[in-house]
Each structure stands twice: as C-alpha cells, then as structure tokens.
Amino acid sequence: MSHHISRSISQSASLSGDAAARTSAAVKLPRKLCAACLRAQSACICGWIAPHVAQVEVLILQHPLEVQQAKGSARLLHLSLAGSQLAVGECFDPAQLDAMLAGPRRNILLYPDTPADQAPGMLRAAALDPAWLRHPQGLRLIVLDGTWRKSRKMLYLNPALQGLPRLPLRQTPASHYLIRKAHLPDQLSTLEATVYALEQLEQAPQRYAALIDAFDGFVAQQAAFAPPRSGDQL
Ligand SMILES: [Zn+2]
C-alpha cells in the first residue's frame, strides 16, 4: 500500500498538475471504512455474511500480510461464524497464545500432517485421538490464515502450535476460489478449508453449504473489483 503511494507521488512530478492534485487528495482523505469488515464502504463484503453457529470453536490466526489482502476470506469467515475468534500476528506472545488455546476445549490444528513439514527443532505433532471426534462441542479448530509459506513460518515461530494434533482435510470438493493463486497446498481458501474441516469434524456434510454459496458471491465481487489493466475503460 505505502509502496503504491510513494511510487505515485514520485511520478507525479512529471505528470500534469491535475494528476498531482488527485494523488495528494488520495493520500490526505481517509476512506470511510465499514466497521465490521474493515473495507472501504464501496467494497464492503458484509452482504456475504452467512451466520452459522458451529459446534467446534474456531480460532483464526491471521498473518499480518493478510489483513489488507482484498481477496482474503478469513474475515468473512470470522463474521459468519458465531463465537469464532480472529487474532492477527506472526509470532504471538506465548502467554497470549496460551490464553487463546486454554481449555476445556481440545485444540486441533488445521494443517497437513506430513512428516516432511517437521523442520529440525520443531515439536512433533501429537496424534489425533479418535475419541475426541465423538464430541465436536469439545473441540477448537485452529486455522492459520496466510500463504503456504507464511503459514509454515507461523507454525515454526509459535511452538505452542507445533505439538497440536493436526487435521488433514480429506476428500474436499474443488475450490471455488478462482481469484487467487494457491493459498493452501490444496488450493482452498481459508474459508473453504475451514468449512470443510468443520463439516468433517461435526460429521455434517453440507451443514455450511450456505456459507460456501455466500463465498461464491464474495469471489464474484472480488473478481469485479480486480484493478483494470492500464488502458482498460470501466
Ligand atoms: Zn462491511
């Protein structure tokens, strides 16, 4: 963002006064933001909120680089799931993270369970006790919202996450996320991956189908908002 602004200012010296004036106005005037989704009101996504009450509690740990990512789905997920939490950070304060992971719910990390991801020095993930799955109301699903690389880094930087049993997704439908390149290894958005994980844990296929439908609307909106290429007329 600041990247963009500084570039347009340095270019403005060779542009007409009109363009320079527009640039400084854009820098000075704060855009009105929607208080719920934190986006400009012209790009508010709250119309796609599909309220659901999950049996499994959801804690979303969002990488800071995702906060301003227009195509990110974590906030829509958070706004749609009653009782979900969203915390932004890369390396969390251990005491703060411990508090977020506190019982009595048992924590499961939404993350592929592949030995190749065990970097030296990382704790080994505990095995997922099948008995836990009989009581979805006793579970908390931890979701890392970031690119694949950033998710790995978050895992590496937060030892409290490393030992958690992991939930690999199985048999997920094809992603509806056509607006962004591979986000998770299975190319699902954070919202889709979480929804399918909840359906898996709650053994309730289609319970969140309305949320996926709403997500389709969000994807279409983001596609329509994609910045035009130079020379394009809107
Ligand atoms: Zn909004």
Side-chain angles (χ1 to χ4, degrees):
M1 195 72 177
S2 56
H3 221 70
H4 261 112
I5 289 170
S6 62
R7 203 181 311 145
S8 52
I9 288 175
S10 62
Q11 281 174 354
S12 68
S14 59
L15 294 173
S16 70
D18 192 18
R22 271 209 309 276
T23 302
S24 63
V27 171
K28 271 182 200 160
L29 293 176
R31 291 190 304 171
K32 283 201 169 169
L33 298 183
C34 168
C37 67
L38 310 182
R39 295 178 187 234
Q41 282 176 349
S42 58
C44 170
I45 58 168
C46 292
W48 308 117
I49 296 172
H52 282 71
V53 179
Q55 295 178 335
V56 175
E57 190 176 285
V58 173
L59 168 62
I60 305 160
L61 301 178
Q62 184 175 55
H63 192 276
L65 289 179
E66 290 295 314
V67 177
Q68 297 296 333
Q69 169 58 253
K71 293 170 181 173
S73 62
R75 183 154 289 272
L76 179 61
L77 173 70
H78 171 52
L79 292 171
S80 296
L81 284 183
S84 65
Q85 291 187 74
L86 187 153
V88 178
E90 186 179 61
C91 182
F92 287 88
D93 171 58
Q96 185 200 0
L97 187 54
D98 281 351
M100 289 191 283
L101 299 176
R105 285 186 184 257
R106 301 175 191 276
N107 299 298
I108 298 179
L109 183 67
L110 177 55
Y111 202 84
D113 196 10
T114 49
D117 287 322
Q118 290 288 350
M122 290 216 318
L123 300 172
R124 182 164 292 280
L128 180 56
D129 183 346
W132 289 13
L133 303 178
R134 287 185 220 124
H135 306 287
Q137 297 89 344
L139 301 177
R140 180 186 295 118
L141 182 68
I142 317 302
V143 180
L144 304 181
D145 179 46
T147 61
W148 177 225
R149 283 174 75 107
K150 294 300 178 193
S151 299
R152 278 195 80 182
K153 191 170 181 199
M154 289 167 78
L155 186 60
Y156 186 75
L157 292 174
N158 297 281
L161 301 176
Q162 295 166 12
L164 298 180
R166 296 179 185 179
L167 180 76
L169 287 174
R170 48 163 209 253
Q171 295 170 4
T172 54
S175 177
H176 297 207
Y177 202 35
L178 307 173
I179 50 176
R180 201 172 173 193
K181 273 197 264 177
H183 191 57
L184 293 171
D186 43 12
Q187 309 209 8
L188 293 172
S189 65
T190 296
L191 183 146
E192 289 171 298
T194 305
V195 160
Y196 297 138
L198 288 175
E199 290 181 344
Q200 197 171 309
L201 287 171
E202 298 178 359
Q203 297 175 49
Q206 302 297 313
R207 174 171 286 167
Y208 300 91
L211 190 41
I212 295 291
D213 286 348
F215 177 67
D216 286 341
F218 163 82
V219 170
Q221 179 189 356
Q222 297 313 309
F225 270 112
R229 294 185 198 130
S230 58
D232 278 0
Q233 296 290 320
L234 279 183

PDB file of all heavy atoms in Angstrom, residues 33-41 43-47 49 79, ligand 1:
ATOM      1  N   LEU A  33     -14.328   3.468   6.219  1.00  0.00           N
ATOM      2  CA  LEU A  33     -14.252   2.017   6.291  1.00  0.00           C
ATOM      3  C   LEU A  33     -15.494   1.461   6.976  1.00  0.00           C
ATOM      4  O   LEU A  33     -16.030   2.062   7.898  1.00  0.00           O
ATOM      5  CB  LEU A  33     -13.017   1.581   7.093  1.00  0.00           C
ATOM      6  CG  LEU A  33     -11.656   1.977   6.525  1.00  0.00           C
ATOM      7  CD1 LEU A  33     -10.542   1.398   7.399  1.00  0.00           C
ATOM      8  CD2 LEU A  33     -11.500   1.494   5.095  1.00  0.00           C
ATOM      9  N   CYS A  34     -15.930   0.318   6.501  1.00  0.00           N
ATOM     10  CA  CYS A  34     -17.002  -0.408   7.179  1.00  0.00           C
ATOM     11  C   CYS A  34     -16.437  -0.940   8.494  1.00  0.00           C
ATOM     12  O   CYS A  34     -15.368  -1.551   8.508  1.00  0.00           O
ATOM     13  CB  CYS A  34     -17.492  -1.552   6.304  1.00  0.00           C
ATOM     14  SG  CYS A  34     -18.573  -2.699   7.202  1.00  0.00           S
ATOM     15  N   ALA A  35     -17.140  -0.700   9.578  1.00  0.00           N
ATOM     16  CA  ALA A  35     -16.623  -1.085  10.896  1.00  0.00           C
ATOM     17  C   ALA A  35     -16.576  -2.601  11.078  1.00  0.00           C
ATOM     18  O   ALA A  35     -15.817  -3.105  11.895  1.00  0.00           O
ATOM     19  CB  ALA A  35     -17.477  -0.459  11.996  1.00  0.00           C
ATOM     20  N   ALA A  36     -17.388  -3.330  10.320  1.00  0.00           N
ATOM     21  CA  ALA A  36     -17.431  -4.788  10.504  1.00  0.00           C
ATOM     22  C   ALA A  36     -16.349  -5.481   9.692  1.00  0.00           C
ATOM     23  O   ALA A  36     -15.557  -6.245  10.227  1.00  0.00           O
ATOM     24  CB  ALA A  36     -18.806  -5.321  10.119  1.00  0.00           C
ATOM     25  N   CYS A  37     -16.311  -5.206   8.392  1.00  0.00           N
ATOM     26  CA  CYS A  37     -15.369  -5.948   7.541  1.00  0.00           C
ATOM     27  C   CYS A  37     -14.081  -5.165   7.314  1.00  0.00           C
ATOM     28  O   CYS A  37     -13.142  -5.691   6.715  1.00  0.00           O
ATOM     29  CB  CYS A  37     -16.013  -6.342   6.220  1.00  0.00           C
ATOM     30  SG  CYS A  37     -16.410  -4.963   5.132  1.00  0.00           S
ATOM     31  N   LEU A  38     -14.030  -3.920   7.781  1.00  0.00           N
ATOM     32  CA  LEU A  38     -12.828  -3.080   7.716  1.00  0.00           C
ATOM     33  C   LEU A  38     -12.415  -2.743   6.289  1.00  0.00           C
ATOM     34  O   LEU A  38     -11.260  -2.409   6.037  1.00  0.00           O
ATOM     35  CB  LEU A  38     -11.645  -3.742   8.453  1.00  0.00           C
ATOM     36  CG  LEU A  38     -11.930  -4.240   9.877  1.00  0.00           C
ATOM     37  CD1 LEU A  38     -10.671  -4.832  10.504  1.00  0.00           C
ATOM     38  CD2 LEU A  38     -12.479  -3.125  10.754  1.00  0.00           C
ATOM     39  N   ARG A  39     -13.342  -2.853   5.361  1.00  0.00           N
ATOM     40  CA  ARG A  39     -13.038  -2.467   3.980  1.00  0.00           C
ATOM     41  C   ARG A  39     -13.694  -1.136   3.681  1.00  0.00           C
ATOM     42  O   ARG A  39     -14.589  -0.695   4.403  1.00  0.00           O
ATOM     43  CB  ARG A  39     -13.568  -3.522   3.012  1.00  0.00           C
ATOM     44  CG  ARG A  39     -12.858  -4.852   3.192  1.00  0.00           C
ATOM     45  CD  ARG A  39     -13.431  -5.888   2.273  1.00  0.00           C
ATOM     46  NE  ARG A  39     -12.834  -7.175   2.587  1.00  0.00           N
ATOM     47  CZ  ARG A  39     -12.227  -7.965   1.693  1.00  0.00           C
ATOM     48  NH1 ARG A  39     -12.150  -7.612   0.427  1.00  0.00           N
ATOM     49  NH2 ARG A  39     -11.707  -9.116   2.058  1.00  0.00           N
ATOM     50  N   ALA A  40     -13.242  -0.505   2.607  1.00  0.00           N
ATOM     51  CA  ALA A  40     -13.905   0.713   2.160  1.00  0.00           C
ATOM     52  C   ALA A  40     -15.382   0.406   1.967  1.00  0.00           C
ATOM     53  O   ALA A  40     -15.749  -0.697   1.542  1.00  0.00           O
ATOM     54  CB  ALA A  40     -13.297   1.184   0.849  1.00  0.00           C
ATOM     55  N   GLN A  41     -16.242   1.395   2.286  1.00  0.00           N
ATOM     56  CA  GLN A  41     -17.675   1.113   2.206  1.00  0.00           C
ATOM     57  C   GLN A  41     -18.097   0.730   0.799  1.00  0.00           C
ATOM     58  O   GLN A  41     -19.024  -0.060   0.608  1.00  0.00           O
ATOM     59  CB  GLN A  41     -18.470   2.302   2.737  1.00  0.00           C
ATOM     60  CG  GLN A  41     -18.441   2.301   4.266  1.00  0.00           C
ATOM     61  CD  GLN A  41     -19.117   3.486   4.906  1.00  0.00           C
ATOM     62  OE1 GLN A  41     -19.452   4.453   4.227  1.00  0.00           O
ATOM     63  NE2 GLN A  41     -19.289   3.425   6.208  1.00  0.00           N
ATOM     64  N   ALA A  43     -16.546  -1.179  -1.042  1.00  0.00           N
ATOM     65  CA  ALA A  43     -16.120  -2.562  -1.281  1.00  0.00           C
ATOM     66  C   ALA A  43     -16.520  -3.469  -0.115  1.00  0.00           C
ATOM     67  O   ALA A  43     -15.963  -4.542   0.065  1.00  0.00           O
ATOM     68  CB  ALA A  43     -14.605  -2.611  -1.471  1.00  0.00           C
ATOM     69  N   CYS A  44     -17.510  -3.014   0.653  1.00  0.00           N
ATOM     70  CA  CYS A  44     -17.962  -3.770   1.837  1.00  0.00           C
ATOM     71  C   CYS A  44     -18.422  -5.171   1.423  1.00  0.00           C
ATOM     72  O   CYS A  44     -19.106  -5.347   0.429  1.00  0.00           O
ATOM     73  CB  CYS A  44     -19.105  -3.003   2.493  1.00  0.00           C
ATOM     74  SG  CYS A  44     -19.979  -3.912   3.775  1.00  0.00           S
ATOM     75  N   ILE A  45     -18.014  -6.152   2.220  1.00  0.00           N
ATOM     76  CA  ILE A  45     -18.371  -7.544   1.903  1.00  0.00           C
ATOM     77  C   ILE A  45     -19.420  -8.100   2.868  1.00  0.00           C
ATOM     78  O   ILE A  45     -19.700  -9.300   2.856  1.00  0.00           O
ATOM     79  CB  ILE A  45     -17.120  -8.458   1.939  1.00  0.00           C
ATOM     80  CG1 ILE A  45     -16.450  -8.407   3.311  1.00  0.00           C
ATOM     81  CG2 ILE A  45     -16.138  -8.081   0.833  1.00  0.00           C
ATOM     82  CD1 ILE A  45     -15.387  -9.485   3.523  1.00  0.00           C
ATOM     83  N   CYS A  46     -19.983  -7.213   3.689  1.00  0.00           N
ATOM     84  CA  CYS A  46     -20.894  -7.704   4.736  1.00  0.00           C
ATOM     85  C   CYS A  46     -22.161  -8.348   4.163  1.00  0.00           C
ATOM     86  O   CYS A  46     -22.824  -9.132   4.850  1.00  0.00           O
ATOM     87  CB  CYS A  46     -21.245  -6.580   5.702  1.00  0.00           C
ATOM     88  SG  CYS A  46     -19.819  -6.076   6.689  1.00  0.00           S
ATOM     89  N   GLY A  47     -22.493  -8.014   2.919  1.00  0.00           N
ATOM     90  CA  GLY A  47     -23.650  -8.651   2.291  1.00  0.00           C
ATOM     91  C   GLY A  47     -23.481 -10.150   2.116  1.00  0.00           C
ATOM     92  O   GLY A  47     -24.459 -10.860   1.881  1.00  0.00           O
ATOM     93  N   ILE A  49     -22.080 -12.098   4.457  1.00  0.00           N
ATOM     94  CA  ILE A  49     -22.027 -12.788   5.753  1.00  0.00           C
ATOM     95  C   ILE A  49     -23.200 -13.768   5.830  1.00  0.00           C
ATOM     96  O   ILE A  49     -24.341 -13.397   5.582  1.00  0.00           O
ATOM     97  CB  ILE A  49     -22.105 -11.780   6.918  1.00  0.00           C
ATOM     98  CG1 ILE A  49     -20.871 -10.864   6.903  1.00  0.00           C
ATOM     99  CG2 ILE A  49     -22.213 -12.507   8.257  1.00  0.00           C
ATOM    100  CD1 ILE A  49     -20.958  -9.721   7.904  1.00  0.00           C
ATOM    101  N   LEU A  79     -16.736 -13.305  10.456  1.00  0.00           N
ATOM    102  CA  LEU A  79     -18.010 -12.604  10.637  1.00  0.00           C
ATOM    103  C   LEU A  79     -19.201 -13.552  10.499  1.00  0.00           C
ATOM    104  O   LEU A  79     -20.277 -13.277  11.000  1.00  0.00           O
ATOM    105  CB  LEU A  79     -18.126 -11.460   9.612  1.00  0.00           C
ATOM    106  CG  LEU A  79     -17.146 -10.293   9.804  1.00  0.00           C
ATOM    107  CD1 LEU A  79     -17.206  -9.330   8.626  1.00  0.00           C
ATOM    108  CD2 LEU A  79     -17.447  -9.547  11.110  1.00  0.00           C
TER     109      LEU A  79
HETATM  110 ZN    ZN B   1     -18.624  -4.402   5.683  1.00  0.00          ZN
END
